[in-house]
């Protein structure tokens, strides 16, 4: 069969049995059965059972299993059972955590999955790319990902980057003509587009010819490895730390094993004890706690409209010290309404144009024709700037679709935010006219004439001054100004941006885009949190400054800079003055990279927002690239680490606040694990060095490990958000989580728990002998660790953050306590858990001692931590 590139668009449509009107519902159902979904097959996900089995690959679990087998051979079946129960429960918990984390990440992926614009049932609609079918009529705009292979039906300067298929990084200009050649390579099939590429410029309409595994990329990709989330820097750091710590603990365990044997203890018991000590002291849960807290945290953030695409972003969020944000739509509402019009030397309100006056009427026609937006059934589709112009037409009962039918578009140069202009060609009577609209400064520099009711005149300095003065007034009121011009061209001429010269100026249309209600408060919060908000916009400097002033980003006009000024200074000069600039106006996407770099070179962690295809490099350069979910292009979303589902600046600030909390929670959780384990090790070392009886049975250590390392650690990771965290300065990203002060706290708190545990041990030795002592030490260590969980909730005292604000930690502590009580008091279990019966006095000692670390740490926090915060 000949390829579609050898067919005309009409032949291709016929071959696939469709028309330019697209598929209808009946066809969609039929074709869905025939072609399935547009997806590349992924390698099958691991089943829960497999995840469960994989838990047994862990080094510690293998040691434990070895110990269980040895016990079984020695006839100590009870130990074997206990160890097996511990291993199985641990593995089940591990499996649940893994699946939960995976599900929430998968949910996040689904939230940011790409969409495609198609023509179906006679209407332009958006669908998930996964639902594309062979025969669909697909629309492509700059910044879209091409998600199926297709034959081009219409191309308006359509340029596509196909580097993922061909390795060629230059964009390819696409056309519709037939290519009459055999064996044309993919890169040369310039009348086709291919899945996996993206549109860098222009616009096109495409007939989908293959989807899913039948696309060219599907053929080479074969099975996609289900994308594995890379470990975050924190996870890598903790893994490394965990390994080193495990090594140290194994050595300590070996020494204790040697000492025990030396003191004439039974080899098997000594071995079991050493193994249990290792298991209890090695913080194997570190990395998985980070994963689960990050995953649950991102789920929470998604509910608040911030979709995290890269997990490591959550960790860096708390270190952000600069947010470079777009204006339009992010700080403002992106709901534009035309307020004022300037035409024929007069400033008019948006509803007072006189349609009997040719010039006034023509300006509205130009606004509707040089425009891609539509309103269908009251739904506005398109760029809000252009939607505002469509709505202006409605004031005069002009329907954009009827007008566009009357004066069809014969050619165009699409808008792009570098050029800041857009042009279209139409036929009026027997003349061919190019209509151009865009930023006034750009347009005026290309204007040679001006149209007034007295006719077309030369464009003089006076005209220029007058127009600029009007523009200044509009802008001072925060209005966004578009200017309109035209020129006659010869018939059938295809235009490019090089034709946008020698224009005849017609008028200005100024629209209001009010700031979002939340912006001002969010900016204030940023500043309090030591974060500098910076506005970067393509809009005019005066408009931008007016809006920036309203929301508190800019105080003095001198803090604003324009793109052309930026071009005149070197990177070094920019770096020197970057912290004095709060607003960048009339910038192009390339300027954004320089601004990010300048801030980064000053040691800042920078978040940058973006939406266009040209924003992708700046989004990648920023420490955290943030793409707009509603107005953003697929390319920008792909380059970003966070996507804002509501495009709202205040969501960025909320995310930073959440990011700070998540990091703090992870840190607290780690502190809980490490300080508890330290307590265990110190107690054992103390007894060993002091030649006391062994303070714990192996099964005690396993029990404590099971009860405290799981639920309470996660509960601390789920500590609710505390707004006070935004009163602190951004966290220095170069200070590791496990720094000196953190280590001191871990050791001090571990020591405190060890002291009360050993006190209980000595009391037990005194009142009831070695067995009672061991039971009391076990119970005290377990209970004080559970209570210590409350200490680890926050830097601040629990009385300040609210005793009951974290319900999960209560549940975890109560479950742990009930299990402990069961083991201590339910006689049939005494044998297995090697505990002896305690009297009420002994119980009182346990309670009294266990609560001491809680009291001391809380008093310390009440007295000293407040000042630090
Ligand atoms: P931000 O970067 O804050 O989103 P912006 O939306 O104002 O800023 P652009 O969309 O790049 O940035 O617009 C820059 C300028 O280009 C506008 O001030 C306006 O003059 C002009 N412009 C915007 N949209 C169009 C359009 N659809 N057609 C023609 N000109 C436009």
């Amino acid at each position: 069969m000949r390829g579609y590139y050898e067919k005309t668009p009409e032949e291709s449509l016929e071959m696939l049995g469709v028309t330019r009107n697209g598929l209808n519902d009946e066809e969609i159902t039929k074709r869905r059965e025939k072609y399935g979904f547009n997806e590349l097959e992924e390698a099958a996900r691991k089943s829960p059972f497999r995840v469960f089995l994989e838990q047994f690959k862990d080094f510690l679990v293998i040691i434990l299993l070895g110990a269980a087998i040895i016990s079984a051979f020695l006839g100590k079946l009870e130990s074997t059972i206990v160890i097996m129960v511990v291993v199985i429960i641990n593995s089940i918990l591990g499996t649940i955590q893994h699946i939960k984390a995976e599900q929430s990440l998968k949910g996040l992926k689904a939230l940011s999955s790409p969409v495609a614009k198609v023509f179906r049932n006679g209407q332009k609609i958006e669908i998930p790319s996964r639902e594309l079918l062979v025969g669909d009529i697909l629309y492509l705009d700059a910044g879209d990902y091409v998600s199926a292979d297709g034959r081009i039906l219409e191309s308006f300067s359509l340029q596509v980057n196909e580097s993922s298929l061909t390795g060629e990084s230059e964009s390819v200009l696409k056309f519709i003509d037939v290519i009459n050649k055999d064996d044309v390579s993919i890169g040369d099939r310039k009348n086709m587009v291919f899945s996996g590429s993206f549109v860098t410029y222009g616009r096109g309409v495409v007939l989908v010819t293959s989807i899913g595994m039948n696309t060219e990329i599907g053929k080479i990709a074969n099975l996609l490895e289900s994308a594995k989330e890379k470990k975050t820097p924190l996870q890598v750091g903790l893994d490394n730390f965990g390994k080193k710590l495990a090594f140290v603990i194994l050595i300590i365990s070996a020494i204790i094993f040697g000492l025990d044997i030396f003191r004439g203890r039974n080899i098997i018991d000594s071995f079991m004890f050493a193994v249990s000590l290792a298991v209890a002291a090695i913080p194997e849960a570190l990395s998985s706690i980070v994963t689960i807290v990050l995953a649950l945290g991102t789920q929470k953030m998604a509910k608040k409209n911030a979709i995290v695409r890269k997990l490591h972003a959550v960790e860096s969020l708390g270190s952000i010290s600069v947010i470079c944000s777009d204006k339009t739509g992010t700080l403002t509402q992106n709901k534009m309404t035309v307020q004022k019009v300037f035409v024929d030397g007069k400033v008019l309100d948006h509803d007072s144009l006189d349609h009997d006056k040719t010039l006034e009427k023509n300006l509205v026609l130009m606004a509707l024709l040089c425009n891609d937006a539509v309103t269908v059934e009251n739904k506005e589709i398109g760029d809000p700037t252009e939607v505002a112009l469509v709505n202006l037409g409605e004031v005069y009962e002009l329907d954009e679709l009827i007008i566009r039918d009357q004066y069809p578009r014969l050619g165009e140069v699409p808008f792009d935010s570098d050029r800041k202009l857009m042009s279209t060609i139409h036929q009026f009577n027997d003349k061919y006219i190019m209509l151009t609209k865009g930023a006034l400064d750009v347009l005026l520099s290309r204007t040679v004439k001006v149209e007034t009711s007295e006719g077309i005149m030369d464009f003089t300095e006076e005209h220029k001054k007058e127009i600029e003065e009007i523009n200044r007034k509009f802008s001072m009121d925060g209005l966004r100004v578009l200017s309109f011009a035209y020129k006659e061209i010869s018939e059938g001429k295809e235009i490019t941006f090089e034709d946008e010269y020698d224009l005849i100026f017609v008028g200005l249309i100024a629209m209001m885009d009010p700031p979002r209600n939340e912006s001002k408060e969010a900016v204030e919060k940023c500043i309090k949190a030591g974060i500098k908000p910076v506005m970067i916009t393509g809009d005019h400097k005066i408009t931008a400054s007016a809006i920036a002033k309203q929301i508190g980003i800019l105080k003095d006009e001198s803090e604003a800079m324009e793109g052309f000024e930026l071009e005149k200074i070197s990177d070094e000069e920019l770096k020197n003055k970057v912290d004095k600039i709060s607003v960048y106006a009339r910038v192009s996407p390339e300027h954004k990279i320089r601004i990010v770099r300048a801030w980064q070179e000053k040691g800042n962690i920078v978040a940058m927002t973006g939406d266009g295809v040209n924003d992708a490099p700046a989004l990648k350069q920023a420490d955290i690239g943030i793409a707009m979910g509603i107005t953003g292009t697929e390319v920008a979303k792909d380059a970003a680490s966070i996507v804002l589902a509501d495009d709202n600046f205040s969501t960025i600030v909320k995310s930073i606040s959440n990011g700070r909390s998540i990091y703090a929670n992870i840190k607290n959780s780690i502190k809980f694990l490490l300080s508890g384990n330290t307590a265990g090790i110190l107690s054992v070392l103390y007894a060993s060095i002091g030649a006391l009886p062994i303070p714990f049975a192996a099964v005690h250590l396993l029990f404590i490990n099971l009860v405290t390392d799981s639920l309470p650690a996660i509960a601390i990771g789920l500590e609710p958000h505390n707004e006070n965290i935004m009163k602190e300065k951004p966290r220095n990203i170069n200070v590791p989580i496990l720094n000196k002060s953190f280590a001191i706290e871990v050791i001090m708190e571990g020591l405190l728990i060890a002291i009360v545990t050993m006190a209980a041990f000595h009391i037990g030795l005194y009142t009831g002998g070695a067995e009672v002592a061991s039971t009391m030490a076990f119970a005290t260590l377990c209970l004080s660790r559970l209570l210590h969980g409350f200490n680890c909730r926050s830097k601040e005292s629990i009385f300040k953050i609210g005793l009951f604000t974290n319900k999960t930690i209560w549940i975890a502590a109560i479950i742990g306590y009930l299990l402990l009580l069961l083991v201590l008091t339910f006689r049939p279990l005494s044998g297995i858990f090697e505990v002896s019966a305690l009297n009420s006095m002994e119980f009182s000692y346990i309670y009294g001692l266990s609560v001491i670390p809680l009291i001391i740490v809380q008093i310390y926090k009440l007295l000293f931590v407040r000042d630090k915060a």
Side-chain angles (χ1 to χ4, degrees), residues 239-259:
D239 275 353
N240 288 340
F241 169 76
K243 273 186 200 133
K244 282 186 205 143
L245 191 64
F247 184 70
V248 173
I249 290 170
L250 285 178
I251 290 178
I252 295 181
S253 298
I255 293 173
I256 289 189
F257 176 66
L259 276 177

Side-chain angles (χ1 to χ4, degrees), residues 326-328 383 385-386 415 417 420-422 437-439 480-482 536-540 586:
D326 283 337
K327 169 180 74 72
T328 314
D383 174 1
T385 307
E386 297 193 339
F415 172 74
S417 41
K420 301 182 173 58
L421 294 178
M422 162 174 179
K437 78 170 192 303
R480 177 183 175 88
V481 186
L482 275 185
I536 302 189
T537 177
D539 218 337
H540 195 276
R586 284 283 189 252

